Amino acid sequence: MNKVRLLVACAGVASLGAVALSAPSNTTLPSGWSWLPVGSGMYDTGTQGTPRGGTDGQQAPPYTDTSFGIMNESGTPWFTGTDLSAQQYIQRQIFGNLGTAGASGRYFNNGYGGTNPGDNFPSFAAESRSVTLNHWNNPFPDAGGVATLGQVVYVPVSATLYLGSGWGGDEMLLTVIGGNSGGTSQFFVDATLTSSFNTSAFGGIGSSGNEIRVNAVTEVNDAGSGNTYDVSWGYGVTFTGINQFRVGALDGVFIEGNYVTDPGQGIDSNSVGYGFTNMYNVLAALVQDGSAFNIDFNSTAELINLVRDFGNADVRASMGPGMEGTARLVVEWQAFQAIPAPGAGALLALGMIVGTRRRR
């Protein structure tokens, strides 16, 4: 299975210089004292992504495959035939059950979704993955009380959580089965792929209503009695002697319920996919203790309809779904030092600090 091409946009970080000063509000000053700005810095987790897999049996990185069915067990990056959560494909056949070849392994249906081992894969699949990040651990929080001479306090002035989702499918194939030699048959294929994410951190954040809807009508040459062959029903593929065209009324990519684009736009032939990144201002709910939090990403894929419009051939539609999620937390902070009003210049040397950048 080829990796599914997923497009998760990268978001930039605004310059700290554009952020207004914000002195400590919980820690109070003795009468006549003031807060002196003495530095600034940034906490950045970097962009962290959901797990990826490798080729069949690959045991060392880099792993680049975002297909459904990545192994969850530590140290086992890909399917070995023993993990029944590793569904690689969805399939739907009109009349029979062509089944999968081989006794075990990555491309064999071990029995998912109520099917039996060796059957076609089921027409529906779901995948869940997560990313773990750490909150900013503020070493000098604005914790309250009365400031002491030279005390330094770090005040967060901005906090942004970037959550990205990419999902789609490749290997959109029709296996033409039997039919009349020299005849043609026409088929309608209809599929949906969904994406969502959520976290309980920062009071709860999530995104749903993200869907790719893709369908096509394809006229094929019958395979003939006892024969089979594969053709593509995905976007951007042209075949000599095969009339493939799109049914546009239902096609589309919908983000949080809103139409945004054609599902084949910018994606390789025979594939669909989309990605986006949302930015969330989490300053008001910022946690400053360095604890861990999870973001859960979910995706589904379903071949919801397969119809023979005319002809005598049977057909099996297939798709290899994939998904990934990304997360990044960026906190910008300013440092303040408590100084008394008289002789402020002489006191600066007691605790002046230089702004630093801290990256995890």
Side-chain angles (χ1 to χ4, degrees):
M1 179 184 293
N2 297 324
K3 70 177 181 179
V4 178
R5 181 184 174 192
L6 303 176
L7 311 174
V8 180
C10 295
V13 180
S15 168
L16 182 63
V19 181
L21 292 175
S22 180
S25 58
N26 296 324
T27 305
T28 59
L29 291 169
S31 178
W33 289 34
S34 62
W35 289 111
L36 179 70
V38 292
S40 63
M42 178 187 295
Y43 170 78
D44 187 347
T45 63
T47 300
Q48 306 298 316
T50 50
R52 291 184 173 191
T55 57
D56 199 8
Q58 181 181 349
Q59 295 294 313
Y63 307 119
T64 59
D65 200 322
T66 60
S67 302
F68 280 21
I70 286 178
M71 295 287 284
N72 296 320
E73 292 81 356
S74 177
T76 311
W78 198 250
F79 184 52
T80 62
T82 59
D83 182 3
L84 295 186
S85 70
Q87 180 177 325
Q88 300 296 310
Y89 292 94
I90 54 173
Q91 295 176 329
R92 182 181 285 274
Q93 188 168 335
I94 295 179
F95 299 109
N97 188 333
L98 186 64
T100 55
S104 65
R106 180 179 177 188
Y107 305 112
F108 182 75
N109 176 13
N110 281 272
Y112 312 106
T115 64
N116 297 312
D119 286 354
N120 292 334
F121 285 87
S123 59
F124 174 84
E127 186 79 352
S128 298
R129 299 170 186 166
S130 64
V131 172
T132 300
L133 298 180
N134 286 92
H135 292 288
W136 175 45
N137 189 11
N138 186 347
F140 304 110
D142 184 14
V146 179
T148 59
L149 179 63
Q151 181 178 345
V152 173
V153 174
Y154 288 0
V155 178
V157 293
S158 72
T160 306
L161 182 66
Y162 299 86
L163 297 180
S165 181
W167 77 108
D170 64 359
E171 296 174 286
M172 299 164 66
L173 298 176
L174 291 179
T175 301
V176 183
I177 306 165
N180 297 332
S181 180
T184 63
S185 300
Q186 180 173 287
F187 301 96
F188 171 71
V189 191
D190 194 11
T192 59
L193 303 102
T194 71
S195 171
S196 64
F197 55 78
N198 66 86
T199 178
S200 60
F202 308 107
I205 293 172
S207 175
S208 59
N210 309 313
E211 179 181 274
I212 298 171
R213 182 75 179 266
V214 57
N215 50 70
V217 173
T218 305
E219 182 177 351
V220 301
N221 297 318
D222 289 2
S225 179
N227 298 319
T228 65
Y229 74 98
D230 290 336
V231 296
S232 297
W233 65 274
Y235 276 79
V237 180
T238 302
F239 297 95
T240 302
I242 299 177
N243 176 25
Q244 178 174 347
F245 59 95
R246 305 176 187 176
V247 178
L250 296 176
D251 287 346
V253 178
F254 303 88
I255 303 301
E256 296 177 345
N258 299 308
Y259 173 83
V260 295
T261 188
D262 184 294
Q265 197 169 58
I267 304 299
D268 295 337
S269 298
N270 198 33
S271 303
V272 293
Y274 194 75
F276 67 97
T277 297
N278 285 347
M279 297 184 296
Y280 301 93
N281 181 352
V282 295
L283 182 61
L286 187 65
V287 176
Q288 303 179 43
D289 62 4
S291 59
F293 66 97
N294 289 336
I295 305 97
D296 298 318
F297 296 86
N298 300 281
S299 183
T300 67
E302 184 175 14
L303 289 162
I304 59 175
N305 208 1
L306 178 60
V307 177
R308 185 176 69 183
D309 295 326
F310 62 76
N312 291 288
D314 191 9
V315 76
R316 181 180 71 180
S318 300
M319 176 188 285
M323 61 90 76
E324 66 179 345
T326 61
R328 179 187 184 190
L329 174 64
V330 177
V331 180
E332 294 176 310
W333 50 265
Q334 292 171 338
F336 294 86
Q337 188 176 37
I339 61 170
L347 288 170
L348 293 183
L350 294 178
M352 179 67 78
I353 64 173
V354 178
T356 62
R357 290 188 179 270
R358 187 165 174 243
R359 182 180 180 89
R360 290 178 62 91

